[in-house]
Every structure is written in C-alpha cells, then in structure tokens.
Amino acid sequence: MEMKKKLPIGIEEFEKIREEGFYYIDKTGLIKELLYNWGEVNLFTRPRRFGKSLNMSMLKCFFEIGGKRELFDGLEIADEKELCDKYMGKFPVVSISLKGVSGDSFETARSMMCSVIGKEALRFRFLLDSKRLSSEEKMMYSQLIMIDSKYAQIFQMSDSVLAESFRTLTMLLEKHYGQAVIVLIDEYDVPLAKAFDNQYYEPMVLLLHNLFERALKTNKSLYLAVLTGCMRISKESIFTDLNNLKVLSISDVRFDKYFGFTDADVKKLLEYYRLSGAYHTMKEWYKGYQFGNIEVYCPWDVINYCDTLRADKDAMPQNYWANTSGNDAVKHFIEKSDNGTVKREIERLVAGEEIRKEIHQELTYHDMYQSVDNIWSVLFTTGYLTQRGKPDGDVFSLAIPNMEIRKIFTRQIMEYFKETVEHDGETLNAFCEALKSGDAKGVERLFGEFLRKTISIRDTFVKKKMKENFYHGILLGLLGFKESWGIFSNRESGDGYSDITIEIDNEELGIIIEVKYSDSGDLEAECQQALKQIRSMQYEDQLRDEGMKRILKYGIACYKKQC
C-alpha cells in the first residue's frame, strides 16, 4: 500500500513541512510577486486560518542568510534561477509573531512582548563577538536579551529599550552583515484585540505605535518589511505618519491566489488522497471566499476535512474554522436584529442573497461595534461575509461565503432567539399549556407569534430537511422552558425517529411532534403528511412503553414565518 504524505494540521513552519514529508500546496509564487511589486512596508490582511503564518515562515526560509536552499527544490520559485541567485539566503531576517501577546493586564502583555522580542534577539548572540560592532553597540544588544534576575525566563527591558528594540536589532544586524534587514511581523493586530477585550487598549496602541514607527519609518537599516493580520487598523492609531505602508487586503487583485486554496489546489489535493468524490461537498462547505478576482477555500477547513475523510470516507463536513474563534462579530450583528432593516438583511443573507453595503476597511477596535455600518465592515474583513463581483468604489455586494459560515449565522440566530424568548415567560407558558391541552389553534397562533419575532431562515439553496431543522430547533428552544418535561429530539421510536417527543410523567401524557416545511406554501397538506408519518411509523409505541396513557400527535407545517 502506497504511503501518502501527512497532512499539516496546525503546522505553520515551512521548514518542518518540507523536511518532514508533509503535503504542501505551493505558494512560493508569492516571493516573486512580492519582489517585483513590493513596497518598503507591506501589510497583508486576511481572515484567520488562511495561511498567513505559513507564508511568513516561507519568506523567512527563503531570504535568511544561512537558509536551506533545498527546501525550495521542485517548487515554483526554484524556476526563477536569476531571482533566487540574487535574493535567496542573502538577508538578515528579524521574524516575530505577536499571536501570543495577550494577558489580562497591560503589564502582562508588555512582558510577553519583551519575551517575543528578546527570544528573537537571542538568535543573534554572535553579535556579542562581532568585530564590526563597537563595545557600545554590543551593550545595546545586551539590553535586548537581559533576563530579570528574580524571574529566570522574563526579559527585562525599559520602556525606551523596548520601543527602540526592532530598530536597534536591525541596525546591529545591518552593521554586522553589511546588508539591510528584512523584518517579518506576523499577526500584528492580535495584541490590540486582546488589549481591547481586557481594557488596556490605549497603552497597547502607544506601545505598538512606538515599536512600528521606529522600526518601519525612515529606518536606513530596513530593506523591506512584511506584516500580516486580520484587521486593517486605522492609520490614526498605530500607523501614524507611516507613509511607506502598502496595504494588500482581501479586495486587492494582487496576491489574491497566495492566501487560501484555489479550486485547482483542492482538486489536486483530493486526487492525491483518492478523495475526489468529496469535491462537491468540499466546495459547498468551504469555498466561496472571494479574494481579489478569484474564489478560494479556507485551508484550515480543507485540510481538516480531508484528514477526517481519510479515516472515514462517509464523514460529514464540520465547522472546523468556526471552532477556532468565539465568532463575536456575528453575535454582535445578530444582536442588532431588533432593527427591522437589519433583521430583513440578515434573512436575505441567510437565504443566499447579496446585500450592497459601503465597507470601511480601516477601523480601530473602538469603532468596530459602534454602529451597524461598522459591523458590516468587520464581518467582511474577518471572513464572515465575502464580496461578489467587483466593488463600486467602497460599495461591495456582500454574501455569506459557504455552508460552514451559514451555520455560524444560524447557530447565533438560534442562541439569540433562546435568550430573548426566555424574557417572555408568560407567552412561553401559554404556548406550552396550549400544546399540553391539545389546543392546536392556540399552538398555531402562539408559535406564529414567535416566528414573526425571530429571524427567519428561508434559505433558497439548502434541502427541505435542513429548512425543517430550523423550525425544529426553534421548537426545542421554546420547550426547554419546561424543565419538568422530558423532551427528546430525533429519538428512535416505532419504525423510525420522531422529530420531537415529550413525556409529562406526572400527568402520564405523551406528545409527538413531526415538523414539515412546505416549499409550495400548502401547509394543510404538509400537516396531514406529518400525521400520516406519525401513524405509519408507529412513533407512539415508545411512549406507550414508557407508561404514557394519553398521547397527543401534532403535525406542524411551516413556510417562512407562517405556521
């Protein structure tokens, strides 16, 4: 049996992927594109899990003095012999990731920043022995790697040393090598997000502003810099006066195929692992993000689902990307649905339609959730919405990219529905009492009221069964109000699985609910079909076995907001 390459789940080190036999989708064309079209400081903004960190690792391996040329054998960039001879392995590289700079206080986050910079500086201990550096310059280097005597692993930097740290390191490296330095800063905006969440935003803005301005502006030791992040933070905060910044966002055509997997990438991957039969599912669930002129897949999803399929070819797709974050942007958006316009726009998005909105790609964290207009921009830049077609200036046609993101929206809609209905105990109790007493008209009226209040899921591109699942979920959310009732979803009963069964032990009462969605709007016919299914599948057998003396059977048919 042929041994296949391992899938690089969670591996962001280019060298490790290439040396240890992991499957690699070639993105080295980014190097050529960057060298032919670079600005002095280049900022790539892409959603999380789209290959930013791996690409940064690739750049480091390519440019750094002493790098391993063989890592690039057989890859696209290796065909550019003249370019490789000129640039490969020719630069000192300072490379850091700010992904881990967090903490519940500024002091903790600052200490983490010192640690990130200090550990990177430690890679260049040879500077202490450099014949090209003066004793004063070696003392400057020593300040970057000074350890607190009380705490063995904590780097001790004064505010001035920390602010100058990048600039100092690039100056010393340039003097040692006689070559300007490349600076790589991955996930530059994570410290700001953490600072905003923990209420020390202003001092973190000042810290990053000082670091970046000194390192990236009028620094003669800098050859070029590349930064990556999810958000494009407003120039008024950390990039003040940085007039050499070139921003390359998800709407830019240049570099559009180097973050995310293209259709050709995915087809080749699935063919290699003999999983081509999963292509259409992969496409429906994980494609749909438009970067520049092309549609791409989320690499994290593709690799994880491919790995799952290798173990079980019948495995259903999952929300891999959704599970790597709290999805706060969608939550804030859904919470604005008390606004009638926003509510209808959310319904249109979930139905697969497009909404035209003005997008502001430069925001501060203070601005993000201040208005609905800003939330649209956050959803776009973080990948929950994507563009369709060409923008008209700052006006974009926005859509939900794929099934995975749609499920994030519907889950948040359902959670918000549950939170809001809990505050209306009187109507909830009336609904449950009507259900228990066999008052079908009352159930219909009250359930209809709840449907009119919530965001409806009238998705034009999903199967009827998935539409039924939405109404099924709303019913379960309402019934959860009755803690003394035994409520079971999709429980095996008779010759099949009933949608919802309820056991009210103290009254020896059982209730069976079968939910149908009527694409035609003929609700009565669907209700009769539901009751017929309950009888023919003998769903009541289980309740009889549990000692229920009286059993009520409901067929509930829905169409949009009608019940």
Side-chain angles (χ1 to χ4, degrees), residues 449-472:
E449 281 184 26
F450 284 118
L451 288 179
R452 283 188 292 278
K453 289 176 185 175
T454 191
I455 300 164
S456 72
I457 308 294
R458 49 184 183 83
D459 199 326
T460 54
F461 60 79
V462 301
K463 299 182 178 78
K464 179 179 174 182
K465 183 63 182 170
M466 294 182 74
K467 293 175 187 174
E468 291 170 356
N469 287 346
F470 169 69
Y471 297 97
H472 184 148

Side-chain angles (χ1 to χ4, degrees), residues 161-286:
V161 169
L162 178 57
E164 291 285 347
S165 57
F166 275 129
R167 191 181 187 96
T168 299
L169 198 52
T170 56
M171 178 199 64
L172 298 176
L173 286 168
E174 187 210 17
K175 188 161 186 184
H176 174 79
Y177 283 110
Q179 172 64 56
V181 180
I182 289 176
V183 173
L184 306 175
I185 303 174
D186 193 27
E187 304 283 11
Y188 87 97
D189 54 341
V190 168
L192 288 172
K194 301 295 184 185
F196 183 73
D197 290 342
N198 291 288
Q199 300 181 329
Y200 55 89
Y201 186 71
E202 297 305 332
M204 182 54 74
V205 167
L206 182 60
L207 172 57
L208 290 178
H209 170 266
N210 289 337
L211 272 172
F212 292 164
E213 185 175 50
R214 286 164 169 75
L216 306 178
K217 183 185 177 187
T218 59
N219 179 2
K220 70 180 183 62
S221 300
L222 179 70
Y223 183 76
L224 74 85
V226 179
L227 291 80
T228 71
C230 290
M231 298 287 292
R232 176 175 165 181
I233 305 303
S234 170
K235 287 183 181 179
E236 282 70 43
S237 58
I238 61 172
F239 294 131
T240 308
D241 300 328
L242 202 66
N243 51 15
N244 58 341
L245 180 68
K246 183 174 185 177
V247 180
L248 299 148
S249 72
I250 51 180
S251 60
D252 288 298
V253 173
R254 191 169 286 166
F255 301 98
D256 55 8
K257 65 182 178 181
Y258 297 118
F259 296 88
F261 291 169
T262 65
D263 209 51
D265 292 335
V266 171
K267 284 180 177 177
K268 188 176 178 182
L269 174 77
L270 292 174
E271 186 179 339
Y272 175 78
Y273 289 107
R274 298 193 181 95
L275 296 170
S276 296
Y279 168 72
H280 291 292
T281 302
M282 192 78 81
K283 181 178 178 181
E284 181 184 29
W285 271 75
Y286 306 127

Side-chain angles (χ1 to χ4, degrees), residues 43-58:
L43 170 60
F44 290 100
T45 60
R46 295 292 186 278
R48 67 181 193 273
R49 300 292 186 180
F50 271 82
K52 299 188 297 294
S53 297
L54 178 55
N55 277 344
M56 292 290 265
S57 175
M58 174 190 73

Side-chain angles (χ1 to χ4, degrees), residues 518-531:
S518 173
D519 285 314
S520 67
D522 189 346
L523 300 177
E524 183 62 32
E526 290 290 349
C527 272
Q528 293 302 329
Q529 183 61 35
L531 290 174

